[in-house]
Amino acid sequence: MSTPATFLTEEMRQQAIGVESQPVTLEVEKGHIQRFAEAIGDPNPVYNDEAAARKSSYGGLVAPPTFLRSVRGVNLELPFELSFSRRLDGGSDWEYFQPVRPGDRITAVARVAEMTERTGRLGAMVFMTTITTYTNQFDEVVATQTNTLIAY
Amino acid sequence: MAEQVYWEDVTEGMELPFLVKEPTTRQLVQYAGASGDFYEIHYDKDFAIGNQLDGPILHGALKSAFLGQLVTDWIGPQGALKRLQCQYRGMDAPGNLITAKGTVTRKYEEDGQRLVDCTVWLENADGQNTTPGNATVVLPSRQG
């Protein structure tokens, strides 16, 4: 599939900015935290050893910093199709406010913050910046993640 | 595990203990399962090549997890990560060594917290910085 030379108009950009996802909730399970920590290869006992975790500043088991990436199904329905066949993750910026613990119910909502276009080797590339806010069952924001998606 | 680092022990310019990773395609499958990110460019060679890549590449989020571990290993059980930011500038393929590195750029107090900013990055086997980033942490004080 070929990539268009130009894609994004100012009108489309304005339509996209502010689009918000439906909320998605993840129940944080102890086993999921352990599987995630194993998958990233991080043996830190605060993820898998209750006794050691109690002595940490968290006072108990917590999830690794990037664990909330496993909240899936947060879909942004743009008013137009991002008609590119390829996608890349451009980067992420996490801010942390509260630890994420087993038993938490974390609700994620994503919002489009910016959309820009650049011309790359293969034609037009669209950069979409989204901000995902993660809130726990106590209505505390535990983290925000600003992410850049590159479609090309 | 290393001894707890305290804010007083930190100086600007000091290096964080580096972390070596050797991700395999197996680990990418494991990460796909744990994170739910099953995009095929991370484990299906034919699919990756069809997407103009040389082969499977690491999930960006897995690379940020390596940087997260670099920082949380350093700050120890009494430190707290406040911010972790990185850009996926270069692609990393499984089967290659990756070294996570960091340097302290700023040490300061703000709103009663003792904070440290670090530059963090991933270096591939050729010494190229594929994943530049920054982190901000809170460290405990020797004064309690």
Side-chain angles (χ1 to χ4, degrees):
Chain A
M1 192 169 139
S2 68
T3 301
T6 67
F7 173 79
L8 190 69
T9 63
E10 178 58 23
E11 190 188 349
M12 289 159 79
R13 177 177 167 269
Q14 293 296 341
Q15 285 174 352
I17 292 172
V19 167
E20 209 169 83
S21 75
Q22 291 295 312
V24 174
T25 299
L26 176 77
E27 302 257 0
V28 180
E29 293 165 4
K30 201 189 287 189
H32 188 186
I33 290 176
Q34 284 181 12
R35 279 204 315 283
F36 190 91
E38 278 169 26
I40 64 173
D42 189 339
N44 195 322
V46 294
Y47 309 137
N48 56 38
D49 180 341
E50 185 88 56
R54 281 198 187 184
K55 292 179 199 153
S56 74
S57 60
Y58 303 114
L61 292 172
V62 293
T66 60
F67 174 79
L68 292 173
R69 283 295 290 224
S70 56
V71 181
R72 309 309 297 186
V74 184
N75 295 318
L76 285 159
E77 289 186 23
L78 297 172
F80 50 85
E81 200 190 335
L82 212 49
S83 54
F84 296 86
S85 60
R86 292 178 286 266
R87 300 268 190 280
L88 273 182
D89 191 346
S92 76
D93 187 349
W94 290 95
E95 282 194 75
Y96 300 104
F97 306 102
Q98 296 288 335
V100 173
R101 302 173 187 279
D104 277 356
R105 297 184 78 246
I106 304 291
T107 299
V109 175
R111 178 172 54 81
V112 178
E114 183 55 282
M115 194 179 274
T116 58
E117 181 177 298
R118 285 182 225 167
T119 306
R121 188 168 52 90
L122 300 168
M125 306 171 84
V126 170
F127 290 68
M128 182 166 80
T129 307
T130 59
I131 301 173
T132 307
T133 303
Y134 300 92
T135 308
N136 68 15
Q137 67 276 26
F138 307 113
D139 281 329
E140 298 167 328
V141 174
V142 296
T144 61
Q145 184 194 182
T146 304
N147 206 75
T148 308
L149 174 83
I150 307 169
Y152 66 105
Chain B
M1 184 171 274
E3 276 181 38
Q4 179 62 50
V5 64
Y6 290 91
W7 189 77
E8 287 80 2
D9 307 335
V10 172
T11 51
E12 290 175 4
M14 81 184 268
E15 290 176 13
L16 277 57
F18 64 86
L19 174 72
V20 178
K21 291 284 188 177
E22 194 171 3
T24 56
T25 307
R26 184 183 191 279
Q27 184 175 19
L28 302 192
V29 171
Q30 204 180 357
Y31 182 78
S35 69
D37 181 348
F38 289 101
Y39 191 24
E40 291 89 340
I41 60 169
H42 303 302
Y43 53 84
D44 182 333
K45 190 174 180 181
D46 292 340
F47 186 93
I49 289 169
N51 274 265
Q52 319 223 347
L53 299 168
D54 295 333
I57 58 167
L58 268 60
H59 298 75
L62 177 60
K63 303 205 291 176
S64 62
F66 293 163
L67 292 174
Q69 185 183 351
L70 169 82
V71 176
T72 51
D73 278 357
W74 179 58
I75 65 178
Q78 304 304 322
L81 180 61
K82 299 273 285 181
R83 186 171 180 190
L84 179 66
Q85 173 270 327
C86 66
Q87 290 178 306
Y88 312 125
R89 290 265 181 84
M91 295 181 194
D92 287 290
N96 297 310
L97 281 180
I98 289 181
T99 308
K101 296 185 173 182
T103 304
V104 172
T105 52
R106 189 176 165 220
K107 174 183 171 179
Y108 55 105
E109 290 183 76
E110 199 174 271
D111 301 327
Q113 288 187 314
R114 292 177 171 88
L115 301 167
V116 174
D117 290 344
C118 307
T119 298
V120 294
W121 69 96
L122 296 182
E123 236 171 67
N124 66 17
D126 298 325
Q128 291 163 326
N129 177 352
T130 65
T131 315
N134 291 286
T136 300
V137 300
V138 184
L139 287 181
S141 168
R142 288 195 179 278
Q143 290 149 29

